[in-house]
Amino acid sequence: NKIIMMKKQTRGGRINRINPQIHQIIAQEFLRSSNPNLNKATVTHVSTSPDLKRCTIYVSSLENAKGTLSKALDKNRVKIQKELGRQLTTKFIPRIQFEIDFSFDNADKINELIYKINEK
């Protein structure tokens, strides 16, 4: 009895090719949207599951209206999903979900703290 050790698969080429495509399609849809909250939003990161069934899109906005951005994303999700299905040429079209990305807010807080420390 031989035991064959399989190497753990890391995210391969397919996901690395599809994530930028999804990023571009979603960003274009934000710009085309008639909703001003989406026009000002930025796609910061796209994470697609290896089986292409789910996709989490991280969105940020320079404005502090996170609640209105979240509502706008929920309201336009189906329209954006349809456009993704029209433009993406894969067997499965991932079901998208949006998450608000707070990393820019955290970076601002860190910069403020560093500034305060340097003042002293």
Side-chain angles (χ1 to χ4, degrees):
N1 284 342
K2 283 188 176 181
I3 298 176
I4 299 173
M5 298 293 286
M6 301 272 300
K7 269 205 285 186
K8 184 178 178 182
Q9 289 262 194
T10 57
R11 290 208 162 186
R14 182 172 71 158
I15 297 298
N16 290 338
R17 286 189 310 270
I18 289 173
N19 280 341
Q21 288 177 346
I22 293 172
H23 186 282
Q24 182 178 9
I25 292 167
I26 302 298
Q28 286 174 351
E29 282 306 299
F30 283 178
L31 290 175
R32 286 188 197 129
S33 175
S34 60
N35 189 316
N37 292 314
L38 292 184
N39 293 143
K40 298 172 187 171
T42 304
V43 177
T44 56
H45 182 69
V46 174
S47 178
T48 306
S49 65
D51 62 358
L52 293 179
K53 300 284 184 174
R54 293 172 314 285
C55 180
T56 303
I57 297 153
Y58 297 91
V59 180
S60 182
S61 179
L62 294 177
E63 295 186 359
N64 289 333
K66 304 295 185 196
T68 56
L69 175 60
S70 184
K71 287 177 187 174
L73 290 169
D74 289 341
K75 184 178 178 183
N76 291 287
R77 190 187 66 75
V78 173
K79 181 182 173 191
I80 294 170
Q81 179 76 52
K82 285 181 183 177
E83 188 59 29
L84 183 66
R86 195 178 70 72
Q87 290 188 37
L88 203 61
T89 58
T90 57
K91 183 176 180 179
F92 298 109
I93 303 302
R95 186 178 191 292
I96 60 173
Q97 76 178 44
F98 293 105
E99 294 286 330
I100 304 295
D101 187 357
F102 294 103
S103 60
F104 290 122
D105 296 341
N106 294 338
D108 286 342
K109 288 177 186 174
I110 291 170
N111 285 337
E112 271 184 42
L113 291 173
I114 291 171
Y115 181 75
K116 287 179 182 178
I117 290 171
N118 288 335
E119 276 185 339
K120 293 179 182 181

